[in-house]
Amino acid sequence: MLKLTFLGTSAGVPTKQRNVTALAIECLNPHSSGVQQGSRQQNTQSKKSRPWVLIDCGEGTQQQLLHTKLSLHQLAAICITHVHGDHCYGLPGLLASAAMSGRREPLTLIAPKAIATLLEAITLTTELYLPFALDFIAIEEVLAEQGDTNKVSISLSDQHQLDIDITPLSHRVASNAFGITQTISRRILNTDKLVADGIPASALWGKLQQGEDVTTEDNRQLHSVDYVDEEIQRTRIVVAGDNDAPNLLSKAVINADLLVHEATYAHEVLNKIRAKNPDYDPMHSSAQLLGEFAQAAGLKNLILTHFSARYQGFDNPNSKTPNMANIRLDAESVYKGNLWLAADFDQYMVDSAIGSASNQESGQEESRVQYIGSARSD
Ligand SMILES: [Zn+2]
Ligand SMILES: [Zn+2]
């Protein structure tokens, strides 16, 4: 289960209603809500069961966070799609605040190489000291080293893993999409079989469930694999940075439960901008381009974000003022799946059906994306 909180949904500049780009993704594990034995374990487990990843960090992202329940102590990784300011100017402030709030846990940062240079300059010029390790992973290196299967794996707990893969996009500077795949596995003890085999409930059951092979009092060797089924729940979303060629994501969205992509304007406006200044292409997508792509790719769920400041937040097709209806109708003219236009603090839950370990690659699992309200707690 992934819980999305949009912290900024505006393109280029903030508006009164929208901050610049940032998206929080909480990785929820419904199986680790504190049912561990021993109270010390319990605390760590329940705290660690809500780690989150931040995709892009526009200026003011840390102020947006103050209106939510998200804590910088549980932030597991930051991913930056590209170097444009509306996607990364919030990074130094957010890191400095994490330091001041006493964070000591290492933090993974996946970003273009240039972001490391930016942080070095700021660290030096402003005497910023981070009391935690910043594990910097350069996107260029991930793409170069691992080619087609590029990904960064983050282990959140014994049975909870996050894999982050990268797809290069088309924009004025190198821009990327992050594929976020959450895998939750759970060992389920086949108690019927144990009873049938004459093995009564005892501490041995727990050991078998933990994956240990054991010997019974009457000297029988029991193998964990014979009594434990592994249940796998996999949820995958793709979050794209700025991009004028959605087709580049064809491969990435296979088996994805959801695509989050920019739709800076409606198609008519995109054409006008291109016609007005043929020498300068901002290299963004229109809602229609995204709709066409999502429809052709058979994507069930699409969230659009990163809207030009010219669009007001209300949705009224009859208004002369550009508004969300322009974007919505542009996408709906070609896309028949589930469509949402993100607003700041909007939260969505992405949940996949549970499969067994053997059919995890089938891609036929039903996925659900649900709008669950606003994160603003004040
Ligand atoms: Zn942008
Ligand atoms: Zn950009």
Side-chain angles (χ1 to χ4, degrees):
M1 292 167 85
L2 298 173
K3 185 180 176 186
L4 278 55
T5 304
F6 284 85
L7 298 166
T9 57
S10 184
V13 293
T15 69
K16 280 186 201 168
Q17 283 81 33
R18 298 182 187 275
N19 199 41
V20 279
T21 299
L23 170 65
I25 303 169
E26 280 172 272
C27 309
L28 309 184
N29 180 357
H31 310 309
S32 72
S33 50
V35 204
Q36 297 279 318
Q37 284 171 351
S39 59
R40 261 177 51 220
Q41 270 288 330
Q42 197 167 335
N43 279 340
T44 10
Q45 278 292 328
S46 58
K47 234 187 165 182
K48 280 193 177 163
S49 69
R50 294 182 83 92
W52 60 286
V53 173
L54 178 65
I55 311 276
D56 282 337
C57 188
E59 184 187 353
T61 296
Q62 61 166 323
Q63 281 92 337
Q64 298 291 87
L65 281 173
L66 296 176
H67 299 293
T68 73
K69 294 194 168 86
L70 293 158
S71 150
L72 290 175
H73 286 270
Q74 291 179 42
L75 178 58
I78 303 177
C79 305
I80 303 290
T81 59
H82 67 298
V83 298
H84 280 156
D86 58 322
H87 297 256
C88 71
Y89 283 171
L91 199 50
L94 181 130
L95 294 175
S97 294
M100 276 188 240
S101 70
R103 184 187 168 112
R104 295 292 180 272
E105 293 280 309
L107 177 64
T108 300
L109 175 57
I110 306 172
K113 246 185 218 161
I115 296 294
T117 314
L118 170 81
L119 289 178
E120 274 161 30
I122 285 178
T123 307
L124 203 69
T125 50
T126 69
E127 298 194 12
L128 169 65
Y129 169 70
L130 298 181
F132 52 87
L134 208 51
D135 297 334
F136 188 84
I137 300 174
I139 285 176
E140 291 88 339
E141 279 167 25
V142 177
L143 291 174
E145 274 174 25
Q146 295 169 32
D148 260 10
T149 56
N150 64 79
K151 67 176 180 186
V152 176
S153 297
I154 298 172
S155 174
L156 298 173
S157 76
D158 186 21
Q159 294 178 293
H160 188 185
Q161 178 166 317
L162 210 60
D163 293 306
I164 303 177
D165 57 86
I166 303 169
T167 303
L169 301 173
S170 161
H171 191 45
R172 301 197 308 282
V173 295
S175 181
N176 302 277
F178 296 104
I180 314 278
T181 304
Q182 178 199 36
T183 307
I184 299 170
S185 55
R186 186 158 70 129
R187 296 191 196 100
I188 298 172
L189 197 61
N190 190 340
T191 51
D192 289 348
K193 193 177 176 193
L194 284 162
V195 172
D197 288 354
I199 304 150
S202 72
L204 290 185
W205 281 26
K207 287 184 178 169
L208 284 168
Q209 190 171 13
Q210 293 303 311
E212 276 181 50
D213 295 340
V214 296
T215 309
T216 60
E217 278 178 7
D218 55 357
N219 232 2
R220 277 192 286 163
Q221 296 282 324
L222 305 180
H223 297 287
S224 173
V225 287
D226 296 332
Y227 295 96
V228 173
D229 296 320
E230 186 143 61
E231 178 191 272
I232 303 270
Q233 186 175 11
R234 184 165 290 166
T235 308
R236 174 173 172 81
I237 68 168
V238 176
V239 182
D242 292 358
N243 177 36
D244 69 353
N247 281 334
L248 292 170
L249 290 162
S250 302
K251 221 169 129 190
V253 299
I254 296 173
N255 292 338
D257 299 301
L258 166 72
L259 171 65
V260 179
H261 198 290
E262 65 126 319
T264 307
Y265 5 70
H267 206 67
E268 195 191 348
V269 173
L270 174 68
N271 286 338
K272 272 187 199 158
I273 290 170
R274 283 181 176 159
K276 206 171 160 189
N277 190 352
D279 298 329
Y280 178 77
D281 185 344
M283 296 184 78
H284 286 299
S285 283
S286 67
Q288 191 189 310
L289 276 180
L290 256 295
E292 278 165 4
F293 168 70
Q295 186 64 24
L299 254 175
K300 283 189 189 139
N301 301 300
L302 175 65
I303 300 180
L304 299 178
T305 181
H306 193 274
F307 306 117
S308 158
R310 80 193 67 212
Y311 296 101
Q312 297 295 306
F314 63 87
D315 185 317
N316 180 357
N318 301 318
S319 168
K320 290 208 163 50
T321 310
N323 67 80
M324 281 298 110
N326 301 79
I327 300 276
R328 181 174 56 77
L329 294 171
D330 206 43
E332 280 178 356
S333 68
V334 280
Y335 179 58
K336 304 302 168 204
N338 299 317
L339 172 74
W340 295 271
L341 309 184
D344 285 22
F345 302 109
D346 275 358
Q347 290 192 302
Y348 295 85
M349 194 67 91
V350 187
D351 200 359
S352 292
I354 293 166
S356 69
S358 51
N359 77 356
Q360 57 182 274
E361 301 296 343
S362 72
Q364 297 305 312
E365 295 166 10
E366 195 186 321
S367 67
R368 294 182 297 272
V369 177
Q370 213 187 344
Y371 170 69
I372 52 168
S374 173
R376 247 195 122 110
S377 51
D378 44 27

